[in-house]
Structures are given as C-alpha cells and as structure tokens.
Amino acid sequence: MIDLDLALALGVLIPLISFTFLAFFGSKLPGIVPDAHGHDEHGHELPPDHLHKSDHSHAPAHDAGHGDHHHFPPKEKKPPGGNPLAGYIATAAIATSCLLATYVLVKWVGMAPGQRTAYAAEMAAKHTFHWADLGKLNLSVAVNLDSLTVIMFFMVTFVASWIHVFSLGYMAEDPRFHRFFTYLSLFCFAMLGLLISNSLLFLFIFWELVGLCSYFLIGFWFEKKSASNAAIKAFITNRVGDLGFIVGLMLVIFYLQDVSLAGATAKFRALADDPAAALFTQTFWGVNLATWMGIGLFCGAVGKSAQFPLHVWLPDAMEGPTPVSALIHAATMVAAGVYLVARIFGLLTPQAQFVIAVIGCITLGMTALIAAVQTDIKKVLAYSTLSQLGYMIFGMGVGAWVGALFHLLTHAFFKALLFLGSGQVIAGCHHEQDMRRMGGLRSKMPVTCWTFFLAVLAISGAGIPWSGFGIGGYHSKDEILVVAYHRAYKWFDEVHHSEHHSALSSSEAYAAEPAHGGDQKDSHTTASHGSGGHNSLGAIYPQVPPLPKWMFWIPVIIAYITPFYMTRCWILTFAGKPRDEHVHEHAHEKPIMWVPLVVLAIASVLCASIPFLTVRLLVADAAHTPEAHAPIDKLVGSRVSSLTPAVNGEELHDAHQALGWIVGFAFVAGMGLAWAIYRNGFGFANAIVKSNPLFRGIHTALMRRLYIDDLYNLVLVGGTHVIARLSAFLDKLLVDGLVNLVAALTRVFSSFTGRQLDMPIKAGDIGFVDAIVNGIANATRTVADLVRRPQSGRIRLYILTLAGVAALILASVAFWDQLEALPGRFKPADSKTKTQLSAAIAGGDSLASGAHRDQ
Amino acid sequence: MTSIGLQHYLLLAAALFCLGILTMTLKRNAIGILIGVELILNAANLNLVAFTRYRTGAIDGQIVAVFIILLAAAEAAIAIAIFMNFYNSLATIDVDRADQLQG
Amino acid sequence: MNVNTWLEPIVFFLFAGVVLFSAIGIVLTRNIVRAALFLLGTLGGVAGLYFLLMANLLAAIQLIVYAGGTLVLIVFGVMLTSKSPWVRFAPSRSEAAAATTIGLVLFAALAKIVTGIDWTVAAHPADQPATVRQVGNLLLQQYLVPFEVASVLLLVVMIGAAYLARPEN
C-alpha cells in the first residue's frame, strides 16, 4: 500500500486542490440553486425574510460590537444563499484527507514503537527531496513522520471535517457561501502543511499562510466595521510575534546552520557540550544568545496562540463566523503555537523555558478571570480558549511536554464542540449572542444543550478522583498540574535522584548517551561551567531553577474558576427561564448542525478515556523524537511516564495522589458555585457586584479586559498621534520658521539695498546693482545657449557621443605605441605600454588559471 | 586550416558589438534601436560563453548568459510597452521626434 | 586528429558568416521588418556558436527565448507602432559618416587589443557539452538568490508592461 508519509502529503494536497478549484470556479458552479426552502429539507419552516428582519428588530438593545449577525445585501437577486456545491466539494476534500489520516493512524498504531522509528527513517531516506543549498544551509523537503504529526494530523482533519459539515448548515444563507469554503480549504491545506513540515523554514511559511487565512476569515463579513477592524488587529498583532519568530529563525540559521527540526536540535545539543560555543557564551542584555533564540521562536507562538502581551486579538477575532472560531480560533490554528513550542522544545534553555512558563501562567490566570464576567457567549468561549492555551504553554514551560500536547488534543475536541454548540445557539436564535437575552433554551435545543454540557464537564476536568476515570481535562490538565507540582515541591529530590534515575531510563530515551562514561564527562563539564549539576545535562544547563510556588498555585486556582465560568455560561444559555420571549420562541436546531455536535461529543469523551490508550500513548511516544529531547523533562521525569493516568514513577504517582485533594474536586466546587449564583439568571450576581465597591471595581476592571486594550490604545494609537502632532509642530516651528526668517531677512536686505545702492541717478539710467544682475543673467544665458546645443533630446546623438568617447579612449589605449612613435610627442619614461597592458592581462590571467596550467 | 580559439570568438563579438552600436545610432525607428541593443547583448553573451569555455572550463559564464537573455527579454517587453505609449501619444515611432525635453 | 579538429573551423566560419552578414544587413537596411528578419539570422547564428562552445542548453534557450519570444515581441511591436511598416526614416549623410567612422575606430581598437594579448587558455577547455542538470544545479543552488531576484524582476516587468501598455481611458 501507499507509504504513510506520502499518504499524509496527499492529505495535505487534497484541500489545496479543492481550494484551487473553488478559487477559480467557486462562483460559477452550476447550480443546485436553493430556493427559500431549499435548505429546509428537515422540515423547519423559515419564512424567507424573517431571518433578516429579526436580527435588526432588537437593534436598540443590541451591542453593535458584539454582533455575529450577517449584513446581507438587499435581496432582490436570486439565489439568496450560496451554492451548496462549493461546500460539498470542500467537505468531500477534507473528509478524504481525514480518511487518509485515519488510515495512517491505524497503520501507525499497529507498529511497535521501535518499528515506527525505523520506518520513519526509511521513509525519510526514500522521500527526502533536496531543494537548495544556501551557503552552508541545506534545505530539503520531507514529511516529518512521527507520532505527534500522525495524531495531530488526525485530530485536525477530523475536527475540520465535522466543522465543514456544520458550516454547510450555518453558512447556508450567506451570499458568499462558496468563498467561505474556499478559504476553509486553503486553511486546511496550510494547517496540515504546518503539521508535516520537517524544518522550521517550511513551518514558518505555513505559519504565515494560516495567519493569512485567519485574517480572511475573521474579516469574512467585512461590511461590518468591527469585523474588518478585528481582522486587521489580528494580522498586525501576529506580525509583532512573527518578527520575534524571524529573529529566532535567523539565530538558528546563523548559529546552527540547520533549519530541520531534528538537525537543529542535534546541533544545539552538540553546541551545548562545547564550553566555548558562541551561542552560549555571547550575551545580549545579560542573557545568552541561546536563550534569546528560544524566546524569539517562542514569540511566534505568543502571537499565534494569543499569549499574554499579544492576547488582545483573539477575543476580537470572534467577529468571524462561528465555525471559523471553532476551527481556527479554538481547535487548530491557535494551538499551532503550542505545537511550535513542542517542536522547538529541544532548542530551549531553562531560562527560555522559565519565560514560557511565566507567560503561560499570566495568560491562564488573567483570561480566566475575564471570562467569568463576559455576557457574550462567544467571548466567554474566547477567553476560555485563551486560558486553556495558557495552560498548554505553561505546561510546555514547566516541562510537561506530554501533558501539554495531550491537553492540546483533548481541548481541540471539546472546544470545537463548545464553539459549534454556541454556533448552533447563535444560528438558532437568529444571530443573538448575548446571554442576557437567552436562557431556557434547553427545551428548544436538547441536543445542543446536553452536548454542550458534556463539553463543560470535559473542560472542567470532571472525573472521579483517584479512580483514573474522567473525561477531557481530568487527564490532560491534571497532568500539567502534577508536573508543575513536582517542579515546585519535589525538585531537589528529583535532582538528587537523577543520577540513578538516568541510568535506569537510559535504555529507553537516552540510549545514545553513554551512561557509564557519565562521571568523567560530568566532572569535566561541571568544572568548565563552574556549576553544581549532578549529571551531564545538569552540568550543561547548570541553573535549572525550581518553579516558584505561586506558579503552581495560580493554575490550581484557575482549575476552580474554569468550571465556574463554563457552567455559568451553560446555565445562562440553556437553563432557567427564558429572558427574551422573542428569541426563545424562534429557537430551533437543524440536524446538519447537531449531528457534528454529537460526533464531536463522542470524540471528546473517547479521546481522553478509552482511546486514551492511543492518544496519550502516541503523544508519549512522540516524546522520544529528537525535538523533545530537552534537558528539563528528563529531570522531571514526565517524558518517561506512560500509560497510567498522567504519570509514571513513584514520586509523580504520589504527587498525583496528593493532587487528588487539591484539584480532584475543583469541578464540583466550581460548578456548584455557578449553580448557586446563576440559577435564577443574572439577578443574584448583579446584587453581589453592587453590594461592595471592591466587587464593583473588580467587575469593571474585568469588563474592561483589565485595561490592557485601553493601554495599547493609549500608548500605541495615542503615541502615534503624539508623534504626528510633534512632527507637525516641529515642521511649523522650525522649517516654516526658518523659511519665514530667511524671507524676512531677504526682504529687509533687499529694501535696504534697493534704497541705498540702487537708486537710479536719473531717469532711464539703471543702478549699479541692476547692472550687475543683468550682467550675470546675460552671461548665464550665453553659457546656457552653449551648453544647450548638445542637449538636443536626440537619443541617437547621445549614443553616438557615447560610442565616440568610448572609441577614443579605447583607441588611445590600443594605439599608444603608434602615437608615441610620432615625432614631437610626449614620451613616458617607460615606453612599453602595450606590452605592459598585455602582461597585466596575462598576469591576472595566470593568477586565475594557474591551477589549470599547472596540471 | 587554423584551429579555432578564443581570439576568433572575441573578434567576432567585437564586430557584433560595433555593428550593434551602428544600428543604434543609425536607426530612427525606436524598434531599430531595440534591435541594436539585442545585438550588443548577444556580443556580450558570446564573450561570456567563450571565456568560460576556454579559460575556466566551468560553466558559470553560461549561467550569467542565461540571466542576460532573461534581462533582454524583460527589457524588450518594457521597451515595446514604452514605444506603444510613445506611438499613441506622438503618432510616430521616429525617435528624432521625441525631443520635447530638448533644452 | 578527430573529426572536430577539421570540422570546427568550417562550422565556426559558417556561423560567424551568418552572424556578420545578418548584422551588417541590419545596419544597412532601411526597412524595420527586414531588420527584424536579419536579427533572426544573427540570433540563430549565435545559437549555433553556442553549440560549438559546448553550451547546448544556452543555445536552446537562445532559440526559444530570443528567436521565439523576444523576436516575436519585436515584430509585434513593429506591427503595432506603425501605420505602414514600410515607412523609412533615413539618417542624414553626415550622421552616417560619423557613425561609420566611430564604429570602425572602435572595432579597430578592440581588434588590436584582442589580438595583441596572448590569451592563456585553460589546459582542458571544456569538450563535453554542459548538461541541463549541471546548469539547473548551479541555478538552484549557487545562484539561487539571483535566480529568485530574476523571478521577481520578471513579475515586476509583467505588471509594469501591462500597466504601461494598457489602453488609456
């Protein structure tokens, strides 16, 4: 059968073909032209114009900045909706990719771990295409076949397929239906390409491509000012992060001379063994270049995954259609940042990792708090996405490589489910997004309601403590927390244990390192680095700081807040009494939209529990790829963990048992609190906020997104204005002033000279100065007349002159001897000019081709 | 018969170059000037290829010649676009009429 | 003494003759269409010389791009820019005399320099034609940056030419 890497490459190309086809023919597809009831094959009667009136009927109450509603052009033209054929083509394409991915996944799982490595190496040798050499940089193209790619590829194609199906229903009435699917196909191509890239350069190219698709899709309803602004904001914010990525990439190219993921990691580790390596000894602002390299690359992830300083674009990106929010801004593209960190994990120094952990910690804490006060259903989900991404980045930072990626995968399923559920609600309520107008939708949308609830349980990490039974975050999030706990509390024990620990695990992951020769090498490198590491890795990376305790406790507290705000969201939407009869009355579900919900719900339950065996196992297996061979996870031990929930190894097992008390009941507490406060709608919550000025202040601050957007507005936008004003002022003051001053001086001077020097003695006579001025003018004219002659504007004359001068020069060189021989001519001391010339040319030549003649 | 060496090619290229110059100066048709430029570029290419064969034994000169051919094509495209504009505005292709910039 | 030794001068002088004859024709004819046809002869002759210089790919490129592309472009230019292509604009006699003088001096000087130098020749002038693979490898590896720059240039030229030649409204 087909080789697995080629199958993956084919899976990438199919969406590209679909994109190309749709881009050229999407608007011309022959027509299944839907009439007003065309999409209603399932029996929902939609009065054709009702859709478009209802979203404007509440215009006064509607917050313009939060709407997800369409602004249709006037409807005199048929067809009102898009051509569903375009959607079918795109869906078929991604579904085919998904089948290929399933095939690869099944084959891959069927292999033994050792066999996989051998197979990947064989395929790499067989299918690597050597592209170009740029100096020492060797660029080759190949599919990066490993467990992480396989499982991520499957996840993306699977989620994307069902989101395509959902979009068929969600976008049905949109006039630019085909264009939506064109963009979706392009996105799928770019995202899948990103996953199979084997070098940082190609990763970067696809990285930019997904960013571009994100821009297109956020601004899909570009007639709306807020949507086009959000698209621009997302694009520009991402550029800031990508600048860091480019700087990191340059450092990689300059110092490692290899951009392939495995090659760069290998070079980096080799350099780390060299005490004199410039990458580690040169510093900038007191931090060595290796750390800057890691931080630079991480900046790309900060932009794409919307981490703390650059997180502002993601909530605004909810202006895009909801399937886009589900696919791009929740499940796949924003998670690409985490994927990138996973791939560059081997290029990180402990300091860079610490920066990553801090950024992740800030993001997850701050955004979870903001999520707790949002009233727009999509904004709640957006901030929840930010918080969960913060968890993943934090997990990477503390060395929970496996845990973070595992969380990425489980999160993709349940967050896609949440967003599609919200999309169902929004579409069903005629583009109403404000939870203050919802409530009581349970009876109208039973499927959406209960699948959404399942996703809430998954994101809350619901499970039975100590039993190993739970869904979603129970496994993945807890694994991150366990590793963080370990870093914060058990660190020193671990370092002391690491010597025999590494000897034990060397057969598995570090087989390449001579375990027995470690002591000698250790003492050597330890001495040269002047540090107190306990094994060779500890010596190379001498200062691996233990995690500050607050960096363990913030994620734990947020683990309590997450169930709170998610349950709040669910209660306000589905439970209680309807707060707006009009919205409630017309709410409905469409099968084409709830079927994907059910499928994703099943997937999000299964991915973390039964095929836990597959998903978690594959991620853990991927930890043996070179990129993951970073120093820190060896010391923590998470990489050698395997099947049992979360961890392996005694200390970590104990830690998990202890954490059972700390986070095991978080979901119960959070959900209970939410039920207590929001059971009857907003009344009680508003009362609490009003009861105390402190609460009011906190609430306002959170509603204003902690003033970060305001700060950026003030500093960046305001700063630009200030600079512009300042330059305008300087322009007026200095330049204009100078010009005016000169003019005034000239006027004074000329009036002086005019009166004193240039007084005509008698009529008809001209003054002294006039005479001079006229004289100069006349002289100028004469000269100009002379100069103007050859300036004929005749191009042929110019060429002739040029050729003539060239001929003259060449001839004088060539015929110097003859000229010299003429009587009465100037004779230079050395008269052998011609032979000199000849010798000069021949001499230069002998230098150039000496090697040839010597042979 | 003498064997053909580098000098033969250089002489031929020199002649071609001079003929190119003559074409450029003697044609009043703008396209004639373009043809002259092509002759000169061909002379240069001939030199490059001859040098690279007889003096280095490598093929780098051929690469440069490829680039020159490319540039010549690009230059011809732009030049003809300009000539068409010229013709549209002056209703002639005689370069001697293009002297509005004369001093 | 192999075939090439006696065949090479014959072929060289044949092609050189074609080149020179056509080039002189270009200079002398007053008709721009004929000049374009003569240019075809020159380009073809130079392509033949490229074959002789073991630059087979370059010769093919010369024929395809120059003779096939650029020349067609020129002929189209002639068609599009002239109401009657047979219109002749002759240069003045004095111009012709000056130009001929300059051309002869230039050629004499160049010939003097070229013949006056003892050109050292590589010990092994290439006697195998350069393969497409060699040229392609050089283009995409050592000369990748100029190659990419050239591709950007072509794009710019395409847009620029379309912009310049667009119908004015």
Side-chain angles (χ1 to χ4, degrees):
Chain A
M1 278 295 277
I2 181 170
D3 289 335
L4 296 189
D5 57 339
L6 294 186
L8 290 185
L10 196 62
V12 176
L13 289 180
I14 291 171
L16 179 65
I17 295 168
S18 155
F19 162 73
T20 319
F21 180 78
L22 290 179
F24 282 108
F25 305 112
S27 56
K28 302 189 184 73
L29 286 175
I32 312 171
V33 176
D35 54 21
H37 301 274
H39 288 294
D40 263 348
E41 61 265 45
H42 306 289
H44 292 279
E45 284 301 318
L46 299 181
D49 59 345
H50 173 81
L51 278 171
H52 315 299
K53 275 183 185 158
S54 62
D55 58 343
H56 295 296
S57 59
H58 316 297
H62 203 94
D63 185 348
H66 291 239
D68 187 13
H69 52 84
H70 311 238
H71 281 245
F72 293 109
K75 277 191 51 181
E76 63 270 2
K77 260 206 302 192
K78 279 228 157 204
N83 188 336
L85 199 53
Y88 297 151
I89 290 171
T91 311
I94 189 69
T96 317
S97 291
C98 186
L99 287 179
L100 280 168
T102 315
Y103 166 74
V104 173
L105 184 69
V106 169
K107 282 273 186 187
W108 190 256
V109 170
M111 293 183 200
Q115 208 181 340
R116 288 173 196 159
T117 324
Y119 182 79
E122 183 196 333
M123 287 301 119
K126 200 163 142 195
H127 294 136
T128 296
F129 169 66
H130 178 238
W131 181 40
D133 293 311
L134 295 172
K136 288 183 192 163
L137 191 66
N138 177 333
L139 296 179
S140 55
V141 188
V143 172
N144 191 33
L145 188 65
D146 66 11
S147 298
L148 184 57
T149 299
V150 170
I151 186 69
M152 287 283 289
F153 200 96
F154 174 75
M155 181 275 283
V156 170
T157 50
F158 182 81
V159 173
S161 302
W162 288 105
I163 288 177
H164 272 70
V165 173
F166 182 87
S167 308
L168 287 175
Y170 189 84
M171 300 300 286
E173 291 104 18
D174 196 284
R176 286 197 297 271
F177 186 80
H178 65 89
R179 192 185 294 178
F180 182 79
F181 282 94
T182 313
Y183 290 152
L184 273 192
S185 281
L186 181 61
F187 171 77
C188 289
F189 161 68
M191 186 68 210
L192 296 174
L194 193 154
L195 291 180
I196 66 165
S197 300
N198 74 330
S199 77
L200 282 171
L201 187 69
F202 292 103
L203 212 140
F204 182 69
I205 291 170
F206 286 114
W207 182 266
E208 294 297 312
L209 206 50
V210 288
L212 184 72
C213 297
S214 163
Y215 166 78
F216 284 151
L217 285 165
I218 295 171
F220 187 72
W221 289 318
F222 52 81
E223 295 92 343
K224 220 168 33 162
K225 188 73 184 148
S226 57
S228 68
N229 278 351
I232 293 168
K233 186 174 181 179
F235 203 70
I236 291 175
T237 316
N238 267 300
R239 291 282 76 66
V240 177
D242 290 345
L243 182 70
F245 196 157
I246 291 174
V247 170
L249 202 55
M250 284 173 177
L251 284 172
V252 169
I253 290 172
F254 191 78
Y255 284 101
L256 303 181
Q257 278 142 15
D258 195 340
V259 287
S260 71
L261 296 169
T265 313
K267 287 249 176 74
F268 186 81
R269 291 176 68 80
L271 279 185
D273 280 329
D274 175 9
L279 190 59
F280 288 87
T281 52
Q282 286 182 3
T283 57
F284 178 69
W285 284 358
V287 178
N288 67 11
L289 289 182
T291 304
W292 281 117
M293 188 172 85
I295 291 176
L297 293 172
F298 173 61
C299 279
V302 170
K304 196 70 71 194
S305 286
Q307 294 299 297
F308 160 56
L310 302 180
H311 66 281
V312 290
W313 68 267
L314 188 57
D316 288 16
M318 296 301 130
E319 291 291 341
T322 306
V324 169
S325 308
L327 179 60
I328 300 183
H329 304 120
T332 56
M333 186 194 81
V334 290
V338 182
Y339 177 81
L340 174 74
V341 179
R343 287 301 189 193
I344 62 162
F345 200 71
L347 301 178
L348 298 176
T349 59
Q351 290 85 350
Q353 260 199 313
F354 186 71
V355 171
I356 293 175
V358 171
I359 296 283
C361 198
I362 294 172
T363 311
L364 77 93
M366 192 178 71
T367 53
L369 293 177
I370 299 177
V373 301
Q374 294 297 315
T375 55
D376 181 317
I377 184 167
K378 281 183 77 179
K379 289 280 161 80
V380 175
L381 295 179
Y383 280 106
S384 137
T385 305
L386 281 173
S387 179
Q388 299 301 311
L389 288 169
Y391 265 110
M392 297 170 210
I393 294 287
F394 171 74
M396 283 293 168
V398 299
W401 199 88
V402 175
L405 286 171
F406 188 30
H407 195 50
L408 192 169
L409 288 158
T410 55
H411 173 260
F413 289 110
F414 63 65
K415 189 49 70 68
L417 176 55
L418 286 170
F419 263 108
L420 292 191
S422 78
Q424 172 75 282
V425 169
I426 291 165
C429 298
H430 308 316
H431 302 286
E432 180 56 66
Q433 295 182 212
D434 195 335
M435 291 194 294
R436 283 172 297 196
R437 313 186 62 85
M438 295 175 185
L441 292 173
R442 191 177 38 193
S443 55
K444 292 281 188 152
M445 303 182 167
V447 180
T448 315
C449 168
W450 294 114
T451 50
F452 201 95
F453 186 69
L454 202 64
V456 169
L457 283 180
I459 196 175
S460 308
I464 302 166
W466 301 294
S467 71
F469 179 76
I471 63 176
Y474 174 79
H475 298 290
S476 52
K477 188 160 67 186
D478 284 11
E479 186 172 348
I480 296 173
L481 291 177
V482 164
V483 176
Y485 172 75
H486 212 76
R487 283 281 314 272
Y489 286 96
K490 297 270 184 140
W491 181 245
F492 294 105
D493 298 350
E494 192 66 30
V495 171
H496 288 303
H497 280 110
S498 62
E499 274 179 278
H500 57 83
H501 190 71
S502 73
L504 288 176
S505 64
S506 62
S507 59
E508 235 184 297
Y510 289 86
E513 288 185 20
H516 55 275
D519 284 341
Q520 276 187 333
K521 194 172 137 200
D522 288 353
S523 53
H524 173 66
T525 45
T526 306
S528 62
H529 280 268
S531 74
H534 287 262
N535 59 3
S536 61
L537 288 162
I540 294 160
Y541 302 92
Q543 303 295 327
V544 183
L547 204 63
K549 307 232 177 337
W550 59 268
M551 281 177 63
F552 166 67
W553 286 106
I554 284 182
V556 168
I557 292 166
I558 299 306
Y560 283 82
I561 294 178
T562 308
F564 168 73
Y565 67 72
M566 286 315 300
T567 313
R568 166 183 176 272
C569 176
W570 183 80
I571 290 172
L572 289 176
T573 309
F574 295 104
K577 279 184 227 122
R579 280 182 291 281
D580 187 318
E581 279 307 325
H582 187 83
V583 168
H584 185 257
E585 193 182 322
H586 294 289
H588 62 277
E589 289 180 314
K590 281 197 221 170
I592 196 169
M593 287 157 77
W594 66 250
V595 168
L597 293 184
V598 174
V599 174
L600 281 173
I602 294 169
S604 55
V605 173
L606 292 189
C607 79
S609 36
I610 297 170
F612 179 75
L613 298 173
T614 300
V615 176
R616 175 62 169 69
L617 195 60
L618 277 182
V619 177
D621 180 51
H624 294 277
T625 53
E627 298 92 69
H629 280 191
I632 200 158
D633 59 351
K634 179 183 183 186
L635 299 176
V636 174
S638 84
R639 202 169 48 74
V640 291
S641 63
S642 60
L643 270 183
T644 44
V647 283
N648 190 12
E650 264 183 44
E651 298 99 334
L652 289 174
H653 185 67
D654 291 346
H656 192 229
Q657 293 299 320
L659 282 190
W661 285 112
I662 298 175
V663 294
F665 297 101
F667 77 98
V668 182
M671 294 173 86
L673 188 64
W675 179 251
I677 295 178
Y678 289 99
R679 193 175 55 231
N680 296 317
F682 281 95
F684 188 40
N686 287 343
I688 296 175
V689 168
K690 286 200 183 106
S691 69
N692 186 327
L694 179 66
F695 288 163
R696 216 175 314 155
I698 293 174
H699 185 258
T700 317
L702 290 177
M703 284 304 277
R704 299 292 303 162
R705 306 165 167 199
L706 292 174
Y707 303 106
I708 291 172
D709 288 54
D710 298 313
L711 183 74
Y712 286 173
N713 250 332
L714 190 72
V715 175
L716 298 179
V717 181
T720 314
H721 276 255
V722 166
I723 291 172
R725 293 235 179 81
L726 193 68
S727 357
F729 174 70
L730 284 182
D731 189 35
K732 278 201 185 109
L733 180 79
L734 285 184
V735 181
D736 288 8
L738 219 61
V739 171
N740 288 343
L741 185 68
V742 171
L745 283 180
T746 313
R747 205 162 53 214
V748 170
F749 182 70
S750 60
S751 74
F752 170 73
T753 50
R755 280 205 204 109
Q756 302 304 318
L757 297 179
D758 205 19
M759 291 294 256
I761 310 297
K762 55 181 187 286
D765 197 7
I766 58 168
F768 172 66
V769 175
D770 279 6
I772 292 180
V773 169
N774 288 349
I776 290 175
N778 285 336
T780 309
R781 170 176 293 188
T782 317
V783 174
D785 264 350
L786 277 176
V787 175
R788 165 181 95 85
R789 286 280 159 72
Q791 198 83 324
S792 61
R794 297 197 173 183
I795 190 163
R796 296 185 304 121
L797 204 58
Y798 296 168
I799 299 170
L800 200 63
T801 319
L802 195 66
V805 172
L808 218 61
I809 293 173
L810 267 180
S812 64
V813 170
F815 299 107
W816 186 255
D817 287 352
Q818 280 83 350
L819 292 176
E820 204 184 323
L822 291 176
R825 289 309 235 169
F826 166 74
K827 291 189 189 198
D830 183 353
S831 62
K832 292 175 182 162
T833 316
K834 182 201 152 184
T835 37
Q836 265 187 342
L837 180 72
S838 176
I841 295 174
D845 168 67
S846 71
L847 282 178
S849 63
H852 287 291
R853 281 187 298 167
D854 290 345
Q855 285 164 2
Chain B
M1 233 176 208
T2 56
S3 79
I4 299 299
L6 182 58
Q7 275 184 1
H8 294 82
Y9 286 99
L10 295 186
L11 276 178
L12 179 64
L16 202 53
F17 177 79
C18 294
L19 288 168
I21 293 275
L22 278 183
T23 314
M24 281 174 79
T25 51
L26 290 180
K27 296 283 177 227
R28 285 173 61 187
N29 190 323
I31 291 174
I33 292 180
L34 185 60
I35 291 176
V37 173
E38 304 296 347
L39 287 187
I40 289 175
L41 288 174
N42 264 281
N45 264 356
L46 203 54
N47 265 0
L48 277 170
V49 180
F51 271 123
T52 204
R53 180 185 172 205
Y54 284 106
R55 305 252 299 170
T56 67
I59 57 169
D60 294 58
Q62 294 187 24
I63 304 287
V64 181
V66 169
F67 283 120
I68 291 179
I69 291 179
L70 183 149
L71 286 176
E75 167 247 337
I78 288 289
I80 290 201
I82 292 174
F83 295 161
M84 281 174 64
N85 258 358
F86 174 63
Y87 180 72
N88 283 342
S89 49
L90 295 184
T92 180
I93 194 71
D94 183 2
V95 286
D96 284 5
R97 299 274 300 279
D99 55 0
Q100 278 100 336
L101 277 180
Q102 101 180 65
Chain C
M1 173 155 291
N2 58 23
V3 178
N4 284 343
T5 323
W6 60 267
L7 193 61
E8 194 183 0
I10 298 176
V11 178
F12 173 81
F13 285 114
L14 183 71
F15 282 129
V18 170
V19 169
L20 284 180
F21 173 77
S22 314
I24 292 171
I26 291 173
V27 176
L28 292 184
T29 181
R30 294 275 167 257
N31 179 331
I32 196 66
V33 180
R34 287 210 184 117
L37 279 179
F38 278 127
L39 181 63
L40 179 63
T42 312
L43 298 177
V46 172
L49 291 174
Y50 287 159
F51 276 115
L52 215 53
L53 285 167
M54 304 296 163
N56 294 1
L57 178 67
L58 194 60
I61 291 176
Q62 167 98 354
L63 286 178
I64 294 167
V65 177
Y66 246 129
T70 310
L71 195 66
V72 170
L73 197 64
I74 287 175
V75 173
F76 265 98
V78 171
M79 276 165 47
L80 290 173
T81 55
S82 182
K83 282 178 208 133
S84 64
W86 311 104
V87 170
R88 300 167 185 188
F89 327 95
S92 66
R93 270 175 198 287
S94 58
E95 271 176 349
T100 314
T101 320
I102 286 174
L104 285 177
V105 170
L106 200 56
F107 178 70
L110 282 174
K112 186 96 195 327
I113 290 173
V114 165
T115 51
I117 293 170
D118 176 27
W119 296 103
T120 336
V121 169
H124 306 287
D127 51 1
Q128 287 297 313
T131 59
V132 179
R133 174 185 289 271
Q134 282 173 317
V135 176
N137 277 340
L138 269 183
L139 265 184
L140 286 184
Q141 288 172 5
Q142 196 177 341
Y143 291 93
L144 182 62
V145 174
F147 182 76
E148 292 298 335
V149 171
S151 67
V152 173
L153 176 93
L154 281 182
L155 178 69
V156 172
V157 164
M158 195 170 75
I159 296 168
Y163 175 79
L164 280 175
R166 81 198 186 287
E168 293 193 16
N169 297 320

